[in-house]
Amino acid sequence: MGHTGMDADVVIAGAGPTGLMLACELRLAGVDVVVVDRLAQRTGESRAGGMHCRTLEVLDQRGVLGRFLAAGDLTPVGHFSGLMLDFDGLETRHPLPLMILQSAIERLLEEWAAGLGTRVRWSSEVVGVRQDEDGVAVELRTADAAPVTLRARYLVGCDGGRSTVRKLSGIAFPGTPATMTALIGDVELPDLPEDYIWARRCATGDYSAISLEPGWYRVITSDHDQVVDRDEPATFEQLRQSLIRLAGTDYGMRRPRWISRFGDAARQAARYRAGRVLLAGDAAHIHFPAGGQGLNTGVQDAVNLGWKLASVVRGQTPESLLDTYHTERHPVGERVLQNTRAQAALARPGAQTDALRDVFGSLLVLDDVNRRLREMLTALDIRYPVGDGHPLAGRRVPDAGLKAPDGTSRVYELLHAARPVLLDLHGSPELVTAVEGWADRVDLVEARSEDEQWAVPSRGEIPAPAAVLIRPDGHVAWAAATGRAPDTSALRTALTTWFGPARQS
């Protein structure tokens, strides 16, 4: 049990990828978590289909990437509204997207969460939220209709685009409405030609078929300027007729596993925090699923929020640290909405859009353009405003090779426990003294960099730093340049800002 009088430290609404990833992050920090979901059990629906390299890095940081790689397939395919991008040259150990269905991602995250001691309550729908000075009461409707109330320090809504938590907390969800309708399904296409190219544009829309496994395809059809009621169920016959209308054939479509519908509505929560309630994933932002960014953005929301929320719950940092979650992640979500709006515009049928695609496609051969788009889609270029002038400050730390006394061979191995790390690469005695007041929550590691230069997206290569303070989410809070004495005053400021005041001896 968590805080006195509480059923848990944190209740998470929604057992999808975002909620499960957040649960794992909190459990790694020793926070008591209950995940609730309105569904009776996991549906097994495939849904999202992949992970970009920054998400793979995050899983690598926690030491669990191998189980995901074993369940999916790396692919060189990346695109911006169907215009192919070259993923060669990304500054990461994991440059290629991983094709893995959301159903498999959820299964693996749930297994990991269970192993860490996460409690999951199915058939538990959030119907009420009440905050006070000490916590939040979460009212649930259960399978037998018996009312249940869980009391926790904090509630995080990871309950999707129609988030009940967001609505009950009075958080506005402004944005732009849908202008088109797309149908999506996992089906067999026995008559699909062997030379079929994965996506084709038509006079009134477009369609695509992506191989999931031998004989099975993810089919998507898009009809522009047609918007149906979002509560209308999607059917196999609707998908088949849509494909016939666009392609002139259904390619023998049969045996549907899953059918759904989506559009290009783009909305974002006006604030990611309202007192003791926070939002993450689709509850905080919805958009056209172009470039495979939705699931990835949600998982990265969870990793940004998890360590901050854990630190506040454990009394190590003031509650104001939670405001940095909105400060850092809201602009990221806003940028995703903007680039997916642009991709939706580029997908519209018509001669004008065809001309625009031709011009835009000709620009993609330029290395700088290709690099900018692929770093944006993969989230490698994100830089949070941490207030330090070093080129690494605010960026995700490169997974540089290391030589350490304990055998650690690269930076991400230091982050498996989801704890802050002060990495001393030049053996600076003053760092030992500077970090003493935070020894209970920051790991001081002395090692040598195997790489003289560290690759930084949008900056190229820079000299390896003399020291770097790494947050649990893998982003740099402070760094010292080689060739000069480290600014221990700035280091102490960073330690206090992100990890709370020094412990008094």
Side-chain angles (χ1 to χ4, degrees):
M1 203 63 67
H3 193 69
T4 302
M6 300 288 173
D7 296 296
D9 293 320
V10 178
V11 169
I12 298 172
T18 300
L20 291 171
M21 187 72 201
L22 178 60
C24 292
E25 292 291 289
L26 292 170
R27 287 301 303 143
L28 284 169
V31 171
D32 188 43
V33 179
V34 174
V35 179
V36 300
D37 199 290
R38 64 179 181 81
L39 296 176
Q41 60 186 356
R42 202 161 295 291
T43 66
E45 294 175 350
S46 58
R47 298 193 175 273
M51 288 178 161
H52 278 305
C53 55
R54 179 55 191 152
T55 304
L56 300 183
E57 286 188 340
V58 165
L59 295 171
D60 193 5
Q61 289 171 187
R62 298 297 180 257
V64 298
L65 177 58
R67 62 187 78 176
F68 292 85
L69 294 177
D73 295 297
L74 295 171
T75 172
V77 175
H79 68 93
F80 190 90
S81 193
L83 298 168
M84 305 311 294
L85 295 175
D86 180 4
F87 275 53
D88 288 340
L90 284 171
E91 290 100 351
T92 173
R93 293 183 188 268
H94 310 290
L96 300 182
L98 180 68
M99 297 291 289
I100 178 173
L101 297 179
Q102 181 172 327
S103 53
I105 294 171
E106 290 176 344
R107 174 178 57 81
L108 292 169
L109 285 175
E110 189 172 8
E111 290 173 358
W112 181 27
L116 293 172
T118 301
R119 293 174 285 158
V120 179
R121 292 182 57 126
W122 297 98
S123 299
S124 299
E125 180 181 8
V126 176
V127 294
V129 175
R130 300 191 312 275
Q131 295 193 53
D132 56 40
E133 290 184 0
D134 300 316
V136 56
V138 185
E139 299 175 24
L140 305 174
R141 180 188 295 125
T142 60
D144 58 5
V148 173
T149 298
L150 296 181
R151 186 160 175 80
R153 301 281 301 284
Y154 292 91
L155 167 65
V156 185
C158 302
D159 50 341
R162 304 186 192 189
S163 171
T164 300
V165 171
R166 184 187 66 236
K167 295 171 185 175
L168 291 173
S169 301
I171 299 174
F173 202 45
T176 51
T179 66
M180 53 81 70
T181 295
L183 288 165
I184 180 172
D186 295 345
V187 296
E188 287 186 347
L189 295 178
D191 300 336
L192 191 70
E194 291 185 4
D195 61 350
Y196 173 81
I197 299 174
W198 73 281
R200 292 184 180 175
R201 289 170 54 76
C202 308
T204 60
D206 56 79
Y207 64 96
S208 61
I210 303 172
S211 177
L212 298 177
E213 56 187 77
W216 288 91
Y217 291 85
R218 164 70 53 85
V219 173
I220 302 175
T221 64
S222 299
D223 290 301
H224 292 263
D225 299 316
Q226 296 186 32
V227 180
V228 301
D229 189 309
R230 64 179 186 176
D231 292 321
E232 179 184 324
T235 68
F236 171 70
E237 185 60 22
Q238 288 174 339
L239 178 63
R240 196 179 73 82
Q241 289 298 328
S242 180
L243 185 58
I244 290 173
R245 188 168 57 253
L246 293 168
T249 175
D250 65 0
Y251 295 113
M253 184 188 296
R254 65 188 186 190
R255 298 183 63 194
R257 288 179 173 175
W258 171 66
I259 306 290
S260 189
R261 179 187 288 112
F262 63 86
D264 61 339
R267 299 185 179 278
Q268 185 177 26
R271 47 188 175 141
Y272 282 14
R273 178 189 175 207
R276 293 183 175 274
V277 176
L278 300 107
L279 303 175
D282 289 352
H285 40 74
I286 61 167
H287 52 83
F288 186 58
Q293 299 170 86
L295 182 150
N296 291 271
T297 305
V299 167
Q300 292 160 35
D301 285 346
V303 175
N304 183 282
L305 174 60
W307 66 273
K308 296 173 181 177
L309 185 53
S311 184
V312 171
V313 166
R314 296 169 68 182
Q316 295 172 331
T317 52
E319 195 175 34
S320 58
L321 179 66
L322 296 178
D323 292 331
T324 69
Y325 169 60
H326 174 96
T327 301
E328 294 182 345
R329 293 304 296 176
H330 193 275
V332 172
E334 188 174 29
R335 186 176 72 160
V336 172
L337 262 64
Q338 286 296 85
N339 87 59
T340 52
R341 285 189 180 109
Q343 293 188 70
L346 277 169
R348 293 186 65 83
Q352 289 87 354
T353 305
D354 290 343
L356 180 60
R357 290 177 68 87
D358 286 343
V359 172
F360 197 88
S362 69
L363 296 176
L364 292 184
V365 302
L366 302 176
D367 288 343
D368 286 347
V369 175
N370 205 291
R371 182 183 305 110
R372 182 177 179 87
L373 289 177
R374 71 194 184 201
E375 289 177 353
M376 176 176 63
L377 292 178
T378 59
L380 286 182
D381 65 347
I382 290 173
R383 185 176 192 180
Y384 297 137
V386 303
D388 187 288
H390 192 279
L392 285 172
R395 298 184 185 275
R396 70 10 139 198
V397 68
D399 189 22
L402 297 178
K403 184 176 291 185
D406 65 357
T408 300
S409 62
R410 53 193 182 91
V411 172
Y412 286 2
E413 292 177 4
L414 301 174
L415 297 172
H416 288 184
R419 284 172 54 87
V421 173
L422 177 58
L423 178 58
D424 181 1
L425 295 168
H426 277 206
S428 306
E430 55 266 56
L431 295 182
V432 178
T433 303
V435 79
E436 281 180 350
W438 292 269
D440 60 326
R441 72 204 88 146
V442 178
D443 296 332
L444 175 62
V445 176
E446 185 173 337
R448 294 291 179 268
S449 176
E450 294 275 35
D451 307 309
E452 294 184 1
Q453 300 288 319
W454 284 17
V456 179
S458 305
R459 288 294 300 263
E461 292 191 337
I462 65 169
V468 59
L469 178 62
I470 310 168
R471 306 188 325 188
D473 60 359
H475 282 258
V476 174
W478 169 90
T482 301
R484 66 182 71 172
D487 184 346
T488 54
S489 175
L491 171 60
R492 291 189 183 93
T493 297
L495 288 164
T496 303
T497 298
W498 297 108
F499 313 120
R503 184 186 58 191
Q504 300 300 315
S505 56

